[in-house]
Amino acid sequence: MEISMPFDLTFHGAAGCVTGFCARLTTDRANVLIDCGMFQGSKTLKALNYERFPFDAEEVDAVLLTHTHIDHSGLLPKLLRAGFKGPILATAGTRDLCAVMLPDAGDIQESEVRQLNRRNQQRGRDLVEPIYTVRDAKRTLELFKTVKLGREVDVAPGITATFWEAGHILGSASIKVRVETEEGPVTLLFSGDLGPGGRDFLPDPEGPTGVDYLVIESTYGSRVRPTLDPASRRRLLANELRDAQKAGGPLLIPAFAVERSQELLADLQILTRDGEIPEADIFLDSPLAIEATEVFRERGWSPVMERNPFEDLRHSGRLMFLKEPWESDRLERLRGWHIILAASGMCDAGRVRKHLKRLLWRRDATVLLPGYQASGTLGRYLAEGASSVRIQGEDISVRARIRSLDIYSGHADQGGLVAWAKARQPVGGMVFLAHGEPDGLEGLRGALAEAGFAPDKLAIPALDERFRLTKTGATAVAGKARILPAAAARPDWHNARARLLLDLNARLDALPDDAAREAMLAALSRSVAAGAPVDVGQGGAPAPAAV
């Protein structure tokens, strides 16, 4: 048996923020990643996706993948491009969903870079390359090796792993890693993203007891949600749907393509069948969600419901799947009550942005946000009540009804996270809190301390922070972070610039005449040229939010 000296755990993503999870275990014999996710949110954070990895991809022996979501799997094709050749260990459900999600992400990369390069050519800037292509994504799928829950598998010399049900999405898992050392085996449990439990579509999260180190997500670490059974969840959705129908216009739901779209469609079918909501044409406007739905129809058996609730989700009757761009474009001609589900769930990319541009200014339209909105995303600004936003260079007034319905989150709340962590006890060493924004991280740390966890053993790693682990304890090791810790979970100067432009336009519109507008612009130009602070005067409209 391979025996290691003390080894390192480094947090290369979802440290101080909720996206881009990637942890690296480094022993003197092996190098293993747990997830390799894409960053989402502010442009400062997303820029990390284009930079070189802070480690040598060729030296990585294997990847343990908790689940499919792009903030956990999205940089796997980039890892392959950088020289990784090892296996990617994942459940069959995760493998099948990655088979549709990763090529879709590559297609988005290629499409967005084409558009960006057209603008760069017009502006005389250098051309850029996509992070990876569809071909890279398909090559990455060849590296997947499926594992079964509860069975220990060999990962690398001196390292084994066991996958446990996480209850987050189809195929999601928490992963227990066992490292053989001179002091004896050291075990680490990575929660991945944990489901809330009590759902009819997915099992409750599980896990082993008695580990040396625990790494737990903190997305809703500061939030307590009411406990809802499936019938109560559907009643709340039905209320929102009836109100949207009364408003007279369409309902747009920015839904995550994997899991959230399928759950919403299943509930919509149940509510329609039972006569609880007004009948409507329902459009699933996401090629990725359509392909993912086929995986759910094949693998979505629910032990709670004793059937597959997704087996009837297909293009038929009033449920229509829109794969082609021209099919999506035809929705612009529709009037009156209908429902559109489009990705992405945080309004950061995909077809939903096109629909937001044409619907946000309409008072008869409703936008329903059913999931978590990360800091710096368009969805977050809408949820916080922005009166105006900037989408693809255009200023859009927000007159539509903006509603948030946080009952479809795939994440456990504070109570669920604490209960899951307590059920894993005893935890001999540190508990590392990851995958959360500052309020979620601090909220969960406080709740865990109140639940009996030693405060000095609750750590919140910074991005790229490294810890030396032994059987008896962990020590932080000095290192260099790619960005300042505070920048991971807050809007950046790109957001501030967009907000300034919206504010300026609003204040110009509020002035009484063109002479006043010319005077303001002249004063602004002089201040900018002199590098002095700018005072745009009084009488303008309140500053709107933007992305």
Side-chain angles (χ1 to χ4, degrees):
M1 181 178 293
E2 302 282 354
I3 302 297
S4 298
M5 303 290 284
F7 59 96
D8 291 345
L9 172 63
T10 310
F11 293 85
H12 292 302
C17 62
V18 297
T19 64
F21 188 82
C22 180
R24 180 165 59 105
L25 276 176
T26 310
T27 75
D28 52 358
R29 290 177 173 82
N31 213 334
V32 174
L33 297 185
I34 296 83
D35 292 344
C36 190
M38 183 175 287
F39 290 97
Q40 298 166 293
S42 70
K43 288 188 178 181
T44 295
L45 202 56
K46 289 190 288 189
L48 297 177
N49 297 323
Y50 291 87
E51 295 182 5
R52 298 173 69 92
F53 285 113
F55 51 83
D56 189 343
E58 293 183 355
E59 295 182 357
V60 176
D61 295 290
V63 176
L64 304 175
L65 184 58
T66 62
H67 66 289
T68 307
H69 279 152
I70 209 73
D71 62 323
H72 291 258
S73 71
L75 291 187
L76 287 172
K78 177 185 175 181
L79 191 70
L80 175 140
R81 287 185 67 158
F84 171 68
K85 298 181 178 66
I88 300 169
L89 280 67
T91 65
T94 294
R95 187 261 331 263
D96 288 357
L97 287 173
C98 279
V100 297
M101 178 166 277
L102 292 180
D104 180 80
D107 183 62
I108 290 174
Q109 294 297 322
E110 294 183 66
S111 174
E112 290 187 347
V113 164
R114 282 195 298 270
Q115 297 177 29
L116 176 60
N117 281 338
R118 282 196 291 269
R119 294 196 298 269
N120 284 346
Q121 285 180 313
Q122 295 169 348
R123 298 167 182 172
R125 298 178 180 175
D126 294 336
L127 302 183
V128 298
E129 293 186 1
I131 301 171
Y132 55 85
T133 65
V134 173
R135 181 174 179 272
D136 296 324
K138 291 181 177 179
R139 288 174 55 216
T140 303
L141 298 172
E142 299 172 5
L143 302 179
F144 274 73
K145 178 181 178 181
T146 58
V147 299
K148 293 185 180 297
L149 296 178
R151 294 188 184 180
E152 189 173 55
V153 295
D154 292 329
V155 178
I159 298 178
T160 60
T162 308
F163 286 60
W164 294 77
E165 177 63 61
H168 174 61
I169 66 168
L170 178 67
S172 62
S174 301
I175 305 176
K176 177 183 176 181
V177 180
R178 177 184 171 110
V179 181
E180 301 295 339
T181 76
E182 291 181 328
E183 302 174 297
V186 177
T187 55
L188 305 91
L189 179 59
F190 296 85
S191 72
D193 288 357
L194 294 169
R199 294 196 289 177
D200 46 359
F201 297 140
L202 280 171
D204 292 351
E206 299 175 347
T209 58
V211 295
D212 294 306
Y213 295 96
L214 181 62
V215 180
I216 184 169
E217 67 120 324
S218 313
T219 308
Y220 284 140
S222 61
R223 192 176 305 182
V224 177
R225 294 194 301 260
T227 301
L228 293 175
D229 59 26
S232 299
R233 180 190 70 227
R234 283 188 275 270
R235 278 197 297 272
L236 290 175
L237 176 62
N239 290 338
E240 293 291 346
L241 293 167
R242 286 191 290 266
D243 288 345
Q245 192 265 347
K246 290 176 184 176
L251 168 64
L252 173 63
I253 306 178
F256 296 102
V258 175
E259 194 76 38
R260 206 69 62 246
S261 290
Q262 290 75 32
E263 290 185 346
L264 282 161
L265 287 176
D267 273 355
L268 287 171
Q269 283 202 336
I270 293 171
L271 291 171
T272 301
R273 181 198 64 203
D274 295 345
E276 295 294 324
I277 59 173
E279 287 200 4
D281 289 330
I282 303 171
F283 302 94
L284 181 59
D285 190 17
S286 167
L288 172 59
I290 294 168
E291 290 189 58
T293 298
E294 292 304 309
V295 178
F296 279 78
R297 290 182 61 206
E298 179 180 348
R299 293 191 174 274
W301 173 265
S302 166
V304 177
M305 304 178 76
E306 296 185 338
R307 67 180 183 87
N308 184 343
F310 309 107
E311 61 188 355
D312 294 329
L313 299 183
R314 66 189 76 202
H315 184 109
S316 61
R318 304 195 75 167
L319 173 59
M320 286 159 273
F321 291 173
L322 309 183
K323 286 188 175 182
E324 302 300 329
W326 62 266
E327 294 178 298
S328 176
D329 292 340
R330 288 197 308 183
L331 295 180
E332 296 182 9
R333 299 199 293 268
L334 291 183
R335 294 294 180 267
W337 164 242
H338 57 278
I339 301 171
I340 303 169
L341 279 75
S344 67
M346 296 185 193
C347 308
D348 251 11
R351 294 182 180 179
V352 72
R353 294 173 75 87
K354 171 183 65 178
H355 296 305
L356 288 167
K357 284 176 68 174
R358 69 181 183 83
L359 294 178
L360 278 177
W361 61 271
R362 289 175 49 178
R363 298 187 187 279
D364 65 343
T366 302
V367 177
L368 179 61
L369 302 169
Y372 187 82
Q373 307 297 319
S375 176
T377 61
L378 175 57
R380 180 69 158 259
Y381 283 109
L382 291 173
E384 292 176 345
S387 61
S388 182
V389 295
R390 193 171 178 84
I391 303 176
Q392 297 172 335
E394 294 185 33
D395 298 349
I396 311 293
S397 295
V398 180
R399 299 190 181 95
R401 299 172 64 253
I402 308 298
R403 303 289 297 165
S404 295
L405 192 61
D406 193 15
I407 58 175
Y408 282 90
S409 174
H411 291 272
D413 68 356
Q414 185 185 83
L417 293 170
V418 171
W420 185 86
K422 289 177 66 177
R424 311 284 75 81
Q425 289 179 318
V427 179
M430 301 290 293
V431 177
F432 297 102
L433 280 59
H435 204 285
E437 293 179 359
D439 59 342
L441 293 163
E442 291 295 344
L444 184 58
R445 176 155 64 179
L448 287 173
E450 290 181 4
F453 287 83
D456 62 343
K457 290 190 174 183
L458 299 172
I460 298 178
L463 185 66
D464 298 319
E465 187 170 8
R466 179 163 58 102
F467 294 83
R468 177 64 48 87
L469 305 185
T470 67
K471 185 71 174 178
T472 56
T475 305
V477 180
K480 183 180 180 181
R482 285 168 287 170
I483 61 174
L484 294 174
R490 70 182 184 192
D492 61 10
W493 71 269
H494 297 279
N495 302 106
R497 177 179 61 182
R499 194 158 49 243
L500 173 65
L501 291 173
L502 286 167
D503 185 23
L504 176 62
N505 289 338
R507 290 175 182 268
L508 287 170
D509 288 343
L511 291 174
D513 52 43
D514 287 348
R517 296 183 182 96
E518 291 173 0
M520 175 182 282
L521 290 173
L524 178 64
S525 297
R526 289 193 299 270
S527 298
V528 170
V534 177
D535 182 358
V536 295
Q538 303 297 317
V547 296

